[in-house]
Amino acid sequence: MTPLLLASACLLIVTLGYGSLCAGSPYGDCRRCHGMGHAIKRTRSGALKRGKDCRRCHGHGKRLRIGRRLYNLWLRIYREGQTDAPKPAARPFAKKG
Ligand SMILES: [Zn+2]
């Protein structure tokens, strides 16, 4: 097996693995707060205490994976490009204006 074939096989395996990860689990832990959703503070007596909510994930502790974000972008562009598909019905409870 040539090294070029081996390298392309490894790239294909990594790409398919990441694609299946994004399909099966589209949300990953926030990298800033490690999935906690908030910081951990230490009080003056040394006890641990909940800190402020994470500003990056807004306290959820989860983030959308990059692969899933790219897939969602592709899907949105694909759906907007369809000219023969009927328009989705107006959302009855959406804000006006
Ligand atoms: Zn966070």
Side-chain angles (χ1 to χ4, degrees):
M1 184 177 266
T2 63
L4 186 65
L5 192 63
L6 187 66
S8 61
C10 285
L11 274 178
L12 185 69
I13 288 172
V14 166
T15 303
L16 289 179
Y18 185 68
S20 63
L21 177 71
C22 288
S25 171
Y27 292 98
D29 283 344
C30 174
R31 283 187 282 243
R32 185 177 173 98
C33 62
H34 306 287
M36 294 283 285
H38 56 84
I40 294 178
K41 271 175 37 178
R42 188 175 290 272
T43 60
R44 289 169 61 182
S45 63
L48 295 177
K49 183 183 163 190
R50 180 189 169 102
K52 292 181 180 176
D53 278 350
C54 177
R55 291 190 300 176
R56 187 169 182 179
C57 64
H58 306 288
H60 295 287
K62 294 290 176 186
R63 64 175 174 82
L64 200 58
R65 294 186 195 275
I66 293 173
R68 184 63 183 213
R69 193 171 299 164
L70 288 174
Y71 174 74
N72 287 348
L73 176 69
W74 173 82
L75 194 65
R76 193 175 311 129
I77 290 172
Y78 178 77
R79 285 181 179 160
E80 286 175 0
Q82 288 179 332
T83 55
D84 58 341
K87 290 278 183 186
R91 296 170 56 197
F93 301 110
K95 288 182 182 175
K96 301 281 189 267

